Amino acid sequence: MTATRRQFLASAATFATLPALPALARIQDAAPGDAGADRLLAAIAEQMLADVPEGATSLGIDKWPRIPLRSKLEDRSVAGKARVAAGLRTRVSELKALDPATLSPVMRTNVDAVRTAFETALDGFAFPYGDVAVGGYRNSPYVVIQNVGAYLDTPRFLDNEHKVESTEDAASWLARFDQYAAQLDGETERLKIAFDKGVIAPDFLLDKCLKQITLTRAGDPAKWELVTNFIGKKPVTGSQAADAAKIAAGRIAPALDRQIAELKRHREAATWDAGVWKFDDGDAYYAWALRAGTTTTMSPEEVHQTGLEELKKLQSEMDVILRKEGFTRGSVGERMTALGKDPKYLFPDTDAGRAEILAFMTKTIQDMRAKMPQAFHTLVRGNVEVKRLPLAEEPGAPGAYGGAGSIDGTVPGRVWLNLRTTALHSKFSLPTLAYHEGIPGHAWQGEYAFKLPLIRTLLSFNAYTEGWALYAEQLGAELGAYDDFPVGRLGYLQSLAFRACRLVVDTGLHAKRWTRRQAVEWFSTTNGSSIEEVSGEVDRYCSWPGQACGYKLGHTKINMLRLKTQAELGSRYDFKAFNDAVVLGGSVPLTVLEHVIDRHIAAHRT
């Protein structure tokens, strides 16, 4: 997620009083510079939490002395963004001052990861528009759109992550609810600046966004679901309930109205041009977004061709299985389209069908959790639940997403499913989705991050995390998920092919000037995915340039490193030890991941 810079918490005394966390990794043979680097990284972590206080709550670490963070939200104003950039510049200078020769290999990895994240974000802030993710995945040229904005993030956060178990919790919830209006106005201010610079989202994205934000605003504010859910909590007093209704009507509803009015102004000036090439500096912006999303320096053309090559290999394997299943005519995409229409693999498009999907996903994750000792020496809990996305978010959201819960385990990891229509999911595609978002994918990998220094828990590199999630799908296949379900293996291969298509479509939209219609038709026809599914996907690539390219490139890199490890270790190669090395090293740029695996190889040679 995006971050802003509020303040520095730098005194050693403050850090000495922090509550116990999954400890900073203690290195047996610590190098002379490690202690100083450790202190700097701890200070940077506290700064990040001060900038994005929601993160402390999401991780379950908003306890003393961080309790004040529990009443604050991220500052999304122009001034807030300026503080972000200033803080990043200071921290990068401090990191550069560290002598790598005095650091242990593990500490160098920590420093390299933080420095890369911050330098990449600073490059993004050089563009005078958009939303920059500091150590996150969601970079967008648009401040507010169908999948970006406080109107989506803050209600979901307050409803699902800010626990209200006391009147004090309720008071801090109300303080945040009041600041929600300031978040909206800060974004509206930035929308106006973007408009003046000609940075206007395409009409089809603005239509989706306006539909969603209007749904958020609709009705009597005192009866908004977010408000009634809060009022219904046991510790909330009568006066607190009245305050919530008053804030909703007097502060938040007018702020939403102002943002809707500005978005309508954008819509009047919008065109149907889908890619960022339409901006004056669009090529430079896309080059940055692609680098941020992949942690590589590959050109758009290299990424595009890689997608076509990967797709060809995957569809060759799919062709063999399809023929065995009796699908012999037409392209692989046409045959997968036919398979996707087979009623025996579909769910009823009813509430009962939605409940069946949720139950199916839950059972699939439970079954895979039991197999984790076959793939890892070091295990985590796998604390995850499956939930439906909020209705206001569904129109502009992908089919699913997931992540880990809180460090203390009181808030489980979540796999969020988009159930606006059950046509988004099939019985042969859901298993691999469960492995990707749940176990051993995002929710599982996120729990390992809790064992790292706090700053490493806060940072996430898109190509690593999404590459790992695809590798998690592969682990599911390697652990026998499809041994008796060949059509399920087709779903797994189609999922990988889907990510190869993303390389082609993302670069097509932003570098080759594809239209939305061209992208949707190519994607659907080539991969056999439904128009419903790929339409939402293409819209996502339009608003998050480069992000979709991290998946397959990250997955390919992990497999290249596995082949390298097998070749160099021979009989000493250990499948579970390799998986441990990748996941315990944490989310890192792909270049740093190679160093992590080189150390693993060196340690296991003798």
Side-chain angles (χ1 to χ4, degrees), residues 130-302:
D131 216 39
V132 177
V134 179
Y137 67 94
R138 199 180 72 176
N139 295 298
S140 177
Y142 309 117
V143 178
V144 179
I145 202 60
Q146 90 282 5
N147 53 6
V148 177
Y151 81 97
L152 293 170
D153 299 335
T154 300
R156 183 176 63 242
F157 167 77
L158 289 174
D159 213 22
N160 290 281
E161 299 185 48
H162 185 118
K163 292 183 290 186
V164 179
E165 297 174 344
S166 67
T167 54
E168 291 78 12
D169 291 340
S172 62
W173 190 98
L174 282 169
R176 279 177 157 165
F177 192 46
D178 187 60
Q179 291 169 51
Y180 174 28
Q183 283 190 323
L184 292 164
D185 283 335
E187 290 176 337
T188 301
E189 177 188 18
R190 290 160 58 209
L191 278 170
K192 291 177 180 179
I193 293 171
F195 183 92
D196 291 340
K197 294 184 178 299
V199 178
I200 297 171
D203 53 11
F204 53 88
L205 292 189
L206 285 163
D207 287 341
K208 271 192 172 183
C209 178
L210 282 164
K211 179 179 179 181
Q212 292 171 198
I213 195 170
T214 301
L215 185 60
T216 297
R217 170 61 181 89
D220 179 357
K223 295 180 181 178
W224 286 344
E225 184 178 9
L226 178 62
V227 175
T228 58
N229 285 351
F230 170 73
I231 290 173
K233 296 184 186 297
K234 188 174 181 180
V236 176
T237 67
S239 63
Q240 288 175 327
D243 285 344
K246 183 178 178 181
I247 292 169
R251 296 263 295 142
I252 297 170
L256 283 167
D257 289 338
R258 288 188 288 271
Q259 190 162 105
I260 289 169
E262 181 60 27
L263 288 166
K264 286 181 177 178
R265 185 167 78 112
H266 281 235
R267 178 62 181 86
E268 290 175 359
T271 69
W272 51 268
D273 294 325
V276 296
W277 56 263
K278 64 186 176 181
F279 305 153
D280 290 342
D281 54 0
D283 289 344
Y285 182 87
Y286 186 54
W288 169 76
L290 199 58
R291 176 162 55 88
T294 68
T295 58
T296 74
T297 56
M298 294 175 70
S299 70
E301 185 60 32
E302 288 172 326

Side-chain angles (χ1 to χ4, degrees), residues 330-502:
S331 68
V332 169
E334 288 169 338
R335 283 177 279 165
M336 288 302 296
T337 298
L339 181 68
K341 293 178 180 178
D342 190 328
K344 68 183 175 185
Y345 299 121
L346 302 179
F347 296 92
D349 201 7
T350 62
D351 286 343
R354 292 176 175 86
E356 188 179 350
I357 288 173
L358 293 169
F360 186 104
M361 283 287 282
T362 299
K363 177 66 162 55
T364 301
I365 290 171
Q366 290 172 344
D367 290 346
M368 185 51 64
R369 182 189 286 110
K371 295 182 177 182
M372 289 300 91
Q374 299 175 42
F376 301 90
H377 291 300
T378 306
L379 300 171
V380 290
R381 178 180 170 187
N383 180 25
V384 60
E385 66 181 9
V386 180
K387 295 193 71 173
R388 181 179 182 176
L389 275 175
L391 296 181
E393 189 172 345
E394 286 186 340
Y401 59 83
S406 62
I407 289 177
D408 63 6
T410 58
V411 177
R414 301 244 166 77
V415 174
W416 292 98
L417 283 178
N418 191 332
L419 297 178
R420 65 178 185 265
T421 170
T422 61
L424 290 172
H425 309 287
S426 70
K427 293 176 183 177
F428 64 79
S429 66
L430 275 177
T432 197
L433 184 63
Y435 309 146
H436 182 108
E437 305 293 355
I439 297 175
H442 289 313
W444 181 258
Q445 181 265 322
E447 289 187 35
Y448 288 89
F450 296 160
K451 300 175 181 293
L452 294 168
L454 179 57
I455 185 62
R456 297 288 311 284
T457 303
L458 297 176
L459 297 178
S460 178
F461 293 88
N462 180 64
Y464 171 91
T465 55
E466 297 300 352
W468 172 266
L470 282 194
Y471 183 68
E473 296 181 26
Q474 178 180 322
L475 290 178
E478 291 173 340
L479 293 173
Y482 309 118
D483 287 357
D484 299 318
F485 187 25
V487 174
R489 183 169 181 82
L490 275 173
Y492 155 62
L493 292 171
Q494 187 183 36
S495 173
L496 294 181
F498 191 92
R499 275 53 179 229
C501 287
R502 282 177 167 174

